[in-house]
Amino acid sequence: MIYSKKCFISCLVILGVALIPIISSNVYYMDDLYRVVLGIKGWSGDARPFAEIFYNVLTLQSDIMPDLFPAPLILAVVFLCFVFSMLSERFSNGRDILFAFCICPLILNPLFSSNLHFKYDSPFMVLSVAFALLSFCFAFKRTVFAVLTVVEFLYVATKGDFRAAVLRLINRGVGFIVGYLVYSKIIIPLTPVNKYFLEYSSAVGLNKSGVLKVLDNFTSSFSIFSNSQSMGFEIFVFCIVAAYVLAISNLLISNHKSISPIALALSSVLAFFMFVLLIPGVMIFSEQPLFFARGYIGFGGFVSAMLIPLCWASVRVLRYILVIPYVYMVGFVYAAHNAFKIENDHIEQTAMNIISDINNSGHDDVKYIRVDGELKNSPGTEVIVTAYPLVKTILPKAFSYQYDGGLYVIKRLGLPDVKYATDENAEAISNGCLPKLKRHYYDICFGAEDTAYVKFK
């Protein structure tokens, strides 16, 4: 097994420094809110059985799942660094440290911060990237990581063998299809999936309306970027695209005698558009796509794909372009984590205030809570969002209508037996409930002896 020690150590240092705030985090994010209270897994229901196997191995049992963070994430990141170091032997052109800086954005890009903040889910999110890349480290002809497939196509094209590049691309494409068929026709039928997965994993039809739906999904998928524009993000994108254009231009000039400039130019343009198409990933093929930040694994692939050609360029000064993207990415990770901490404290303080109101209400047998509206972000979070608008797309949410995250915060902090009111008349009762105790972020009242109604402003 051949790997680059320089690349491995470089990746450990880069990711170690960048992920310090996340590894030391005490924030329970989204699904973590109920897992820490209930100690359950539940990933098989989302058609992710290997996630449960991962935790069963770590805990040597399968009944309960304790909070092991950050140990599982550290193990996953170390394994990913090792995979990166093996890839370096194939794609770095001997520039192992430079390759480390080019490949680490796969998980350092802004949107992957959402994935990394899950205490329970983040390890196998990282491992999924690692195993998808692993097939490129060996002499396999089949793979499932589409972005690196295109990088491989471009790399072979820079060597002048365009026929081999196209054939390799076709082989990898077949591998992608085979992987999908194995997962959808074998793994999923053997897994007891839930209604949530079935509802949102339904693929578009193989007809005209299906094609139109894919095009509409693709266009809609980029709203996460268009609605979160800032000067910093624009400079970040400009620099990574400039790195790609300058590196390819250098290859065209320096190798014009040994390879066809026209063929290489066309290959690089084709590769660029394929990288863009792969940003939203397989979500665009869903009848009911959910464009959450954590689903944009392809954006990290896009960033790394733009940077990897720097390893092949003969003008060494081009590598210094990396400074600007790293200033943005590392700054984003730290700022996002600080926003997470501020917002988590805000959520927990709000939960404690609600618990205090219930305990001091004179109603000793409150068993249910009805939540209406959504808790506003704290002022400190809004400051960070102003500087990094993309942070807003990944902020932790707990008190948002009847989303059960807020319920489990309240359970964890002092009312372990409380439940959400599910009565179909609860909303009407909440609106007519008097008297209301008015607080800064919410109003609360007790319309029935066993139910508290909370309405966020």
Side-chain angles (χ1 to χ4, degrees), residues 37-77:
V37 173
L38 302 177
I40 62 173
K41 303 179 183 71
W43 290 296
S44 287
D46 295 330
R48 293 183 286 173
F50 297 108
E52 298 201 4
I53 294 172
F54 173 76
Y55 273 103
N56 290 345
V57 171
L58 283 184
T59 59
L60 300 181
Q61 51 88 40
S62 60
D63 297 328
I64 199 75
M65 183 178 63
D67 180 5
L68 299 177
F69 189 87
L73 179 59
I74 292 172
L75 290 173
V77 169

mmCIF file of all heavy atoms in Angstrom, residues 37-77:
data_model
loop_
_atom_site.group_PDB
_atom_site.id
_atom_site.type_symbol
_atom_site.label_atom_id
_atom_site.label_comp_id
_atom_site.label_asym_id
_atom_site.label_seq_id
_atom_site.Cartn_x
_atom_site.Cartn_y
_atom_site.Cartn_z
ATOM 1 N N VAL A 37 -30.461 12.406 24.417
ATOM 2 C CA VAL A 37 -31.477 12.133 25.434
ATOM 3 C C VAL A 37 -31.927 10.675 25.406
ATOM 4 O O VAL A 37 -32.071 10.027 26.441
ATOM 5 C CB VAL A 37 -32.695 13.069 25.250
ATOM 6 C CG1 VAL A 37 -33.825 12.672 26.200
ATOM 7 C CG2 VAL A 37 -32.296 14.516 25.489
ATOM 8 N N LEU A 38 -32.136 10.149 24.200
ATOM 9 C CA LEU A 38 -32.693 8.808 24.058
ATOM 10 C C LEU A 38 -31.640 7.723 23.901
ATOM 11 O O LEU A 38 -31.917 6.553 24.149
ATOM 12 C CB LEU A 38 -33.649 8.766 22.852
ATOM 13 C CG LEU A 38 -34.832 9.743 22.892
ATOM 14 C CD1 LEU A 38 -35.640 9.626 21.617
ATOM 15 C CD2 LEU A 38 -35.699 9.485 24.112
ATOM 16 N N GLY A 39 -30.436 8.103 23.431
ATOM 17 C CA GLY A 39 -29.373 7.116 23.222
ATOM 18 C C GLY A 39 -29.673 6.141 22.106
ATOM 19 O O GLY A 39 -29.185 5.004 22.116
ATOM 20 N N ILE A 40 -30.486 6.568 21.124
ATOM 21 C CA ILE A 40 -30.849 5.678 20.022
ATOM 22 C C ILE A 40 -30.099 6.042 18.755
ATOM 23 O O ILE A 40 -29.600 7.145 18.604
ATOM 24 C CB ILE A 40 -32.369 5.720 19.747
ATOM 25 C CG1 ILE A 40 -32.799 7.137 19.334
ATOM 26 C CG2 ILE A 40 -33.145 5.253 20.960
ATOM 27 C CD1 ILE A 40 -34.239 7.216 18.878
ATOM 28 N N LYS A 41 -30.048 5.084 17.839
ATOM 29 C CA LYS A 41 -29.350 5.297 16.572
ATOM 30 C C LYS A 41 -30.345 5.771 15.507
ATOM 31 O O LYS A 41 -30.402 6.939 15.182
ATOM 32 C CB LYS A 41 -28.639 4.015 16.144
ATOM 33 C CG LYS A 41 -27.655 3.484 17.196
ATOM 34 C CD LYS A 41 -27.008 2.211 16.710
ATOM 35 C CE LYS A 41 -26.071 1.623 17.755
ATOM 36 N NZ LYS A 41 -26.773 1.044 18.914
ATOM 37 N N GLY A 42 -31.079 4.848 14.907
ATOM 38 C CA GLY A 42 -32.116 5.224 13.959
ATOM 39 C C GLY A 42 -31.661 5.471 12.542
ATOM 40 O O GLY A 42 -32.445 5.904 11.700
ATOM 41 N N TRP A 43 -30.387 5.177 12.256
ATOM 42 C CA TRP A 43 -29.892 5.470 10.899
ATOM 43 C C TRP A 43 -30.366 4.457 9.866
ATOM 44 O O TRP A 43 -30.453 4.781 8.687
ATOM 45 C CB TRP A 43 -28.360 5.537 10.904
ATOM 46 C CG TRP A 43 -27.844 6.742 11.617
ATOM 47 C CD1 TRP A 43 -28.022 8.042 11.258
ATOM 48 C CD2 TRP A 43 -27.060 6.763 12.806
ATOM 49 N NE1 TRP A 43 -27.406 8.883 12.158
ATOM 50 C CE2 TRP A 43 -26.802 8.119 13.120
ATOM 51 C CE3 TRP A 43 -26.560 5.769 13.642
ATOM 52 C CZ2 TRP A 43 -26.064 8.507 14.227
ATOM 53 C CZ3 TRP A 43 -25.821 6.155 14.753
ATOM 54 C CH2 TRP A 43 -25.575 7.509 15.030
ATOM 55 N N SER A 44 -30.656 3.259 10.287
ATOM 56 C CA SER A 44 -31.155 2.271 9.323
ATOM 57 C C SER A 44 -32.448 2.741 8.678
ATOM 58 O O SER A 44 -32.695 2.500 7.498
ATOM 59 C CB SER A 44 -31.380 0.917 10.002
ATOM 60 O OG SER A 44 -30.149 0.290 10.298
ATOM 61 N N GLY A 45 -33.268 3.442 9.456
ATOM 62 C CA GLY A 45 -34.508 3.975 8.908
ATOM 63 C C GLY A 45 -34.280 4.990 7.810
ATOM 64 O O GLY A 45 -35.137 5.196 6.946
ATOM 65 N N ASP A 46 -33.109 5.636 7.826
ATOM 66 C CA ASP A 46 -32.735 6.581 6.772
ATOM 67 C C ASP A 46 -31.877 5.918 5.701
ATOM 68 O O ASP A 46 -31.185 6.592 4.933
ATOM 69 C CB ASP A 46 -31.957 7.760 7.366
ATOM 70 C CG ASP A 46 -32.819 8.584 8.314
ATOM 71 O OD1 ASP A 46 -34.039 8.629 8.098
ATOM 72 O OD2 ASP A 46 -32.271 9.170 9.264
ATOM 73 N N ALA A 47 -31.916 4.576 5.667
ATOM 74 C CA ALA A 47 -31.160 3.783 4.685
ATOM 75 C C ALA A 47 -29.656 3.968 4.836
ATOM 76 O O ALA A 47 -28.916 3.987 3.860
ATOM 77 C CB ALA A 47 -31.601 4.124 3.259
ATOM 78 N N ARG A 48 -29.210 4.081 6.098
ATOM 79 C CA ARG A 48 -27.779 4.189 6.380
ATOM 80 C C ARG A 48 -27.382 3.120 7.400
ATOM 81 O O ARG A 48 -26.953 3.435 8.513
ATOM 82 C CB ARG A 48 -27.437 5.589 6.891
ATOM 83 C CG ARG A 48 -27.617 6.677 5.858
ATOM 84 C CD ARG A 48 -27.186 8.021 6.394
ATOM 85 N NE ARG A 48 -28.151 8.549 7.346
ATOM 86 C CZ ARG A 48 -27.952 9.654 8.081
ATOM 87 N NH1 ARG A 48 -26.815 10.310 7.974
ATOM 88 N NH2 ARG A 48 -28.880 10.075 8.916
ATOM 89 N N PRO A 49 -27.511 1.852 7.043
ATOM 90 C CA PRO A 49 -27.237 0.777 8.009
ATOM 91 C C PRO A 49 -25.787 0.720 8.452
ATOM 92 O O PRO A 49 -25.492 0.295 9.575
ATOM 93 C CB PRO A 49 -27.623 -0.486 7.243
ATOM 94 C CG PRO A 49 -27.487 -0.124 5.792
ATOM 95 C CD PRO A 49 -27.893 1.308 5.722
ATOM 96 N N PHE A 50 -24.859 1.144 7.603
ATOM 97 C CA PHE A 50 -23.443 1.060 7.962
ATOM 98 C C PHE A 50 -23.089 2.040 9.088
ATOM 99 O O PHE A 50 -22.110 1.834 9.802
ATOM 100 C CB PHE A 50 -22.567 1.294 6.738
ATOM 101 C CG PHE A 50 -22.748 0.238 5.679
ATOM 102 C CD1 PHE A 50 -23.405 0.538 4.495
ATOM 103 C CD2 PHE A 50 -22.301 -1.059 5.874
ATOM 104 C CE1 PHE A 50 -23.596 -0.434 3.520
ATOM 105 C CE2 PHE A 50 -22.484 -2.034 4.918
ATOM 106 C CZ PHE A 50 -23.136 -1.723 3.732
ATOM 107 N N ALA A 51 -23.890 3.101 9.229
ATOM 108 C CA ALA A 51 -23.668 4.034 10.331
ATOM 109 C C ALA A 51 -23.905 3.332 11.672
ATOM 110 O O ALA A 51 -23.155 3.529 12.632
ATOM 111 C CB ALA A 51 -24.597 5.237 10.194
ATOM 112 N N GLU A 52 -24.946 2.508 11.729
ATOM 113 C CA GLU A 52 -25.212 1.767 12.962
ATOM 114 C C GLU A 52 -24.141 0.717 13.222
ATOM 115 O O GLU A 52 -23.734 0.496 14.368
ATOM 116 C CB GLU A 52 -26.595 1.125 12.884
ATOM 117 C CG GLU A 52 -27.714 2.150 12.765
ATOM 118 C CD GLU A 52 -29.061 1.599 13.179
ATOM 119 O OE1 GLU A 52 -29.121 0.447 13.633
ATOM 120 O OE2 GLU A 52 -30.054 2.350 13.065
ATOM 121 N N ILE A 53 -23.664 0.073 12.151
ATOM 122 C CA ILE A 53 -22.580 -0.902 12.298
ATOM 123 C C ILE A 53 -21.334 -0.216 12.867
ATOM 124 O O ILE A 53 -20.645 -0.758 13.738
ATOM 125 C CB ILE A 53 -22.261 -1.570 10.950
ATOM 126 C CG1 ILE A 53 -23.455 -2.424 10.493
ATOM 127 C CG2 ILE A 53 -20.998 -2.426 11.043
ATOM 128 C CD1 ILE A 53 -23.306 -2.972 9.088
ATOM 129 N N PHE A 54 -21.058 1.002 12.390
ATOM 130 C CA PHE A 54 -19.901 1.772 12.843
ATOM 131 C C PHE A 54 -19.950 1.973 14.360
ATOM 132 O O PHE A 54 -18.965 1.729 15.070
ATOM 133 C CB PHE A 54 -19.881 3.121 12.113
ATOM 134 C CG PHE A 54 -18.828 4.086 12.596
ATOM 135 C CD1 PHE A 54 -17.499 3.920 12.239
ATOM 136 C CD2 PHE A 54 -19.173 5.157 13.406
ATOM 137 C CE1 PHE A 54 -16.530 4.810 12.676
ATOM 138 C CE2 PHE A 54 -18.215 6.055 13.850
ATOM 139 C CZ PHE A 54 -16.887 5.876 13.485
ATOM 140 N N TYR A 55 -21.100 2.400 14.871
ATOM 141 C CA TYR A 55 -21.213 2.635 16.310
ATOM 142 C C TYR A 55 -21.293 1.335 17.103
ATOM 143 O O TYR A 55 -20.850 1.277 18.255
ATOM 144 C CB TYR A 55 -22.411 3.529 16.617
ATOM 145 C CG TYR A 55 -22.055 4.998 16.542
ATOM 146 C CD1 TYR A 55 -22.409 5.767 15.447
ATOM 147 C CD2 TYR A 55 -21.336 5.606 17.557
ATOM 148 C CE1 TYR A 55 -22.062 7.113 15.367
ATOM 149 C CE2 TYR A 55 -20.977 6.945 17.500
ATOM 150 C CZ TYR A 55 -21.350 7.695 16.400
ATOM 151 O OH TYR A 55 -20.990 9.011 16.331
ATOM 152 N N ASN A 56 -21.857 0.299 16.511
ATOM 153 C CA ASN A 56 -21.872 -0.998 17.194
ATOM 154 C C ASN A 56 -20.455 -1.506 17.424
ATOM 155 O O ASN A 56 -20.138 -2.083 18.472
ATOM 156 C CB ASN A 56 -22.662 -2.023 16.372
ATOM 157 C CG ASN A 56 -24.153 -1.733 16.360
ATOM 158 O OD1 ASN A 56 -24.636 -0.945 17.163
ATOM 159 N ND2 ASN A 56 -24.873 -2.372 15.451
ATOM 160 N N VAL A 57 -19.590 -1.285 16.432
ATOM 161 C CA VAL A 57 -18.190 -1.712 16.558
ATOM 162 C C VAL A 57 -17.484 -0.888 17.627
ATOM 163 O O VAL A 57 -16.729 -1.418 18.453
ATOM 164 C CB VAL A 57 -17.470 -1.577 15.195
ATOM 165 C CG1 VAL A 57 -15.968 -1.792 15.366
ATOM 166 C CG2 VAL A 57 -18.035 -2.571 14.184
ATOM 167 N N LEU A 58 -17.729 0.438 17.629
ATOM 168 C CA LEU A 58 -17.050 1.303 18.584
ATOM 169 C C LEU A 58 -17.471 1.021 20.023
ATOM 170 O O LEU A 58 -16.661 1.123 20.953
ATOM 171 C CB LEU A 58 -17.331 2.772 18.264
ATOM 172 C CG LEU A 58 -16.564 3.384 17.092
ATOM 173 C CD1 LEU A 58 -16.889 4.872 16.983
ATOM 174 C CD2 LEU A 58 -15.058 3.219 17.257
ATOM 175 N N THR A 59 -18.736 0.673 20.231
ATOM 176 C CA THR A 59 -19.225 0.469 21.595
ATOM 177 C C THR A 59 -19.280 -1.003 22.000
ATOM 178 O O THR A 59 -19.588 -1.312 23.155
ATOM 179 C CB THR A 59 -20.634 1.072 21.750
ATOM 180 O OG1 THR A 59 -21.527 0.443 20.812
ATOM 181 C CG2 THR A 59 -20.617 2.565 21.488
ATOM 182 N N LEU A 60 -19.003 -1.896 21.038
ATOM 183 C CA LEU A 60 -19.042 -3.345 21.283
ATOM 184 C C LEU A 60 -20.415 -3.823 21.768
ATOM 185 O O LEU A 60 -20.523 -4.790 22.516
ATOM 186 C CB LEU A 60 -17.961 -3.750 22.301
ATOM 187 C CG LEU A 60 -16.521 -3.432 21.881
ATOM 188 C CD1 LEU A 60 -15.554 -3.907 22.965
ATOM 189 C CD2 LEU A 60 -16.168 -4.050 20.539
ATOM 190 N N GLN A 61 -21.446 -3.100 21.367
ATOM 191 C CA GLN A 61 -22.812 -3.523 21.685
ATOM 192 C C GLN A 61 -23.752 -2.774 20.744
ATOM 193 O O GLN A 61 -23.339 -1.944 19.969
ATOM 194 C CB GLN A 61 -23.150 -3.247 23.147
ATOM 195 C CG GLN A 61 -22.856 -1.821 23.607
ATOM 196 C CD GLN A 61 -23.990 -0.875 23.372
ATOM 197 O OE1 GLN A 61 -25.130 -1.219 23.563
ATOM 198 N NE2 GLN A 61 -23.677 0.341 22.930
ATOM 199 N N SER A 62 -25.030 -3.113 20.783
ATOM 200 C CA SER A 62 -25.966 -2.537 19.818
ATOM 201 C C SER A 62 -27.224 -1.970 20.443
ATOM 202 O O SER A 62 -28.102 -1.501 19.726
ATOM 203 C CB SER A 62 -26.361 -3.609 18.791
ATOM 204 O OG SER A 62 -26.976 -4.715 19.450
ATOM 205 N N ASP A 63 -27.331 -1.985 21.755
ATOM 206 C CA ASP A 63 -28.584 -1.576 22.392
ATOM 207 C C ASP A 63 -28.680 -0.072 22.627
ATOM 208 O O ASP A 63 -29.727 0.524 22.429
ATOM 209 C CB ASP A 63 -28.760 -2.312 23.725
ATOM 210 C CG ASP A 63 -28.869 -3.816 23.518
ATOM 211 O OD1 ASP A 63 -29.397 -4.220 22.469
ATOM 212 O OD2 ASP A 63 -28.422 -4.571 24.402
ATOM 213 N N ILE A 64 -27.609 0.527 23.077
ATOM 214 C CA ILE A 64 -27.646 1.940 23.447
ATOM 215 C C ILE A 64 -26.442 2.647 22.849
ATOM 216 O O ILE A 64 -25.390 2.041 22.621
ATOM 217 C CB ILE A 64 -27.663 2.110 24.984
ATOM 218 C CG1 ILE A 64 -28.152 3.491 25.382
ATOM 219 C CG2 ILE A 64 -26.298 1.805 25.563
ATOM 220 C CD1 ILE A 64 -29.642 3.664 25.236
ATOM 221 N N MET A 65 -26.571 3.927 22.582
ATOM 222 C CA MET A 65 -25.478 4.659 21.954
ATOM 223 C C MET A 65 -25.068 5.842 22.837
ATOM 224 O O MET A 65 -25.769 6.862 22.888
ATOM 225 C CB MET A 65 -25.899 5.166 20.574
ATOM 226 C CG MET A 65 -24.774 5.876 19.834
ATOM 227 S SD MET A 65 -25.297 6.415 18.196
ATOM 228 C CE MET A 65 -26.590 7.571 18.626
ATOM 229 N N PRO A 66 -23.939 5.749 23.518
ATOM 230 C CA PRO A 66 -23.469 6.866 24.337
ATOM 231 C C PRO A 66 -22.807 7.934 23.470
ATOM 232 O O PRO A 66 -22.477 7.702 22.311
ATOM 233 C CB PRO A 66 -22.435 6.199 25.253
ATOM 234 C CG PRO A 66 -21.881 5.088 24.411
ATOM 235 C CD PRO A 66 -23.046 4.585 23.590
ATOM 236 N N ASP A 67 -22.623 9.107 24.057
ATOM 237 C CA ASP A 67 -21.931 10.193 23.366
ATOM 238 C C ASP A 67 -20.421 9.960 23.480
ATOM 239 O O ASP A 67 -19.836 10.128 24.546
ATOM 240 C CB ASP A 67 -22.326 11.527 24.009
ATOM 241 C CG ASP A 67 -21.641 12.715 23.352
ATOM 242 O OD1 ASP A 67 -20.939 12.508 22.334
ATOM 243 O OD2 ASP A 67 -21.804 13.842 23.838
ATOM 244 N N LEU A 68 -19.786 9.562 22.380
ATOM 245 C CA LEU A 68 -18.347 9.285 22.365
ATOM 246 C C LEU A 68 -17.533 10.431 21.772
ATOM 247 O O LEU A 68 -16.314 10.337 21.660
ATOM 248 C CB LEU A 68 -18.072 8.019 21.549
ATOM 249 C CG LEU A 68 -18.716 6.719 22.042
ATOM 250 C CD1 LEU A 68 -18.407 5.585 21.076
ATOM 251 C CD2 LEU A 68 -18.246 6.377 23.443
ATOM 252 N N PHE A 69 -18.184 11.497 21.370
ATOM 253 C CA PHE A 69 -17.517 12.612 20.707
ATOM 254 C C PHE A 69 -16.423 13.195 21.609
ATOM 255 O O PHE A 69 -16.625 13.316 22.825
ATOM 256 C CB PHE A 69 -18.557 13.690 20.384
ATOM 257 C CG PHE A 69 -18.055 14.799 19.511
ATOM 258 C CD1 PHE A 69 -18.093 14.675 18.135
ATOM 259 C CD2 PHE A 69 -17.556 15.960 20.062
ATOM 260 C CE1 PHE A 69 -17.635 15.693 17.332
ATOM 261 C CE2 PHE A 69 -17.092 16.990 19.267
ATOM 262 C CZ PHE A 69 -17.138 16.853 17.891
ATOM 263 N N PRO A 70 -15.230 13.539 21.029
ATOM 264 C CA PRO A 70 -14.881 13.616 19.600
ATOM 265 C C PRO A 70 -14.105 12.406 19.064
ATOM 266 O O PRO A 70 -13.597 12.466 17.947
ATOM 267 C CB PRO A 70 -14.003 14.854 19.556
ATOM 268 C CG PRO A 70 -13.232 14.800 20.843
ATOM 269 C CD PRO A 70 -14.207 14.235 21.858
ATOM 270 N N ALA A 71 -13.988 11.338 19.849
ATOM 271 C CA ALA A 71 -13.151 10.210 19.430
ATOM 272 C C ALA A 71 -13.528 9.648 18.053
ATOM 273 O O ALA A 71 -12.640 9.458 17.207
ATOM 274 C CB ALA A 71 -13.200 9.103 20.482
ATOM 275 N N PRO A 72 -14.813 9.395 17.762
ATOM 276 C CA PRO A 72 -15.144 8.854 16.432
ATOM 277 C C PRO A 72 -14.768 9.802 15.286
ATOM 278 O O PRO A 72 -14.301 9.357 14.240
ATOM 279 C CB PRO A 72 -16.664 8.655 16.498
ATOM 280 C CG PRO A 72 -16.968 8.516 17.955
ATOM 281 C CD PRO A 72 -16.014 9.440 18.629
ATOM 282 N N LEU A 73 -14.969 11.108 15.500
ATOM 283 C CA LEU A 73 -14.618 12.073 14.445
ATOM 284 C C LEU A 73 -13.114 12.115 14.225
ATOM 285 O O LEU A 73 -12.648 12.178 13.076
ATOM 286 C CB LEU A 73 -15.140 13.465 14.811
ATOM 287 C CG LEU A 73 -14.822 14.575 13.796
ATOM 288 C CD1 LEU A 73 -15.404 14.251 12.420
ATOM 289 C CD2 LEU A 73 -15.344 15.927 14.295
ATOM 290 N N ILE A 74 -12.344 12.067 15.299
ATOM 291 C CA ILE A 74 -10.882 12.072 15.157
ATOM 292 C C ILE A 74 -10.418 10.849 14.372
ATOM 293 O O ILE A 74 -9.578 10.955 13.461
ATOM 294 C CB ILE A 74 -10.208 12.124 16.548
ATOM 295 C CG1 ILE A 74 -10.476 13.481 17.217
ATOM 296 C CG2 ILE A 74 -8.706 11.880 16.427
ATOM 297 C CD1 ILE A 74 -10.007 13.556 18.655
ATOM 298 N N LEU A 75 -10.954 9.680 14.706
ATOM 299 C CA LEU A 75 -10.596 8.458 13.975
ATOM 300 C C LEU A 75 -10.946 8.579 12.494
ATOM 301 O O LEU A 75 -10.163 8.183 11.621
ATOM 302 C CB LEU A 75 -11.327 7.261 14.581
ATOM 303 C CG LEU A 75 -10.874 6.806 15.975
ATOM 304 C CD1 LEU A 75 -11.808 5.724 16.508
ATOM 305 C CD2 LEU A 75 -9.440 6.296 15.940
ATOM 306 N N ALA A 76 -12.128 9.132 12.209
ATOM 307 C CA ALA A 76 -12.560 9.281 10.820
ATOM 308 C C ALA A 76 -11.663 10.241 10.053
ATOM 309 O O ALA A 76 -11.300 9.990 8.901
ATOM 310 C CB ALA A 76 -14.014 9.758 10.773
ATOM 311 N N VAL A 77 -11.286 11.352 10.689
ATOM 312 C CA VAL A 77 -10.428 12.342 10.024
ATOM 313 C C VAL A 77 -9.030 11.763 9.769
ATOM 314 O O VAL A 77 -8.447 11.988 8.699
ATOM 315 C CB VAL A 77 -10.339 13.632 10.865
ATOM 316 C CG1 VAL A 77 -9.242 14.550 10.330
ATOM 317 C CG2 VAL A 77 -11.681 14.359 10.857
#
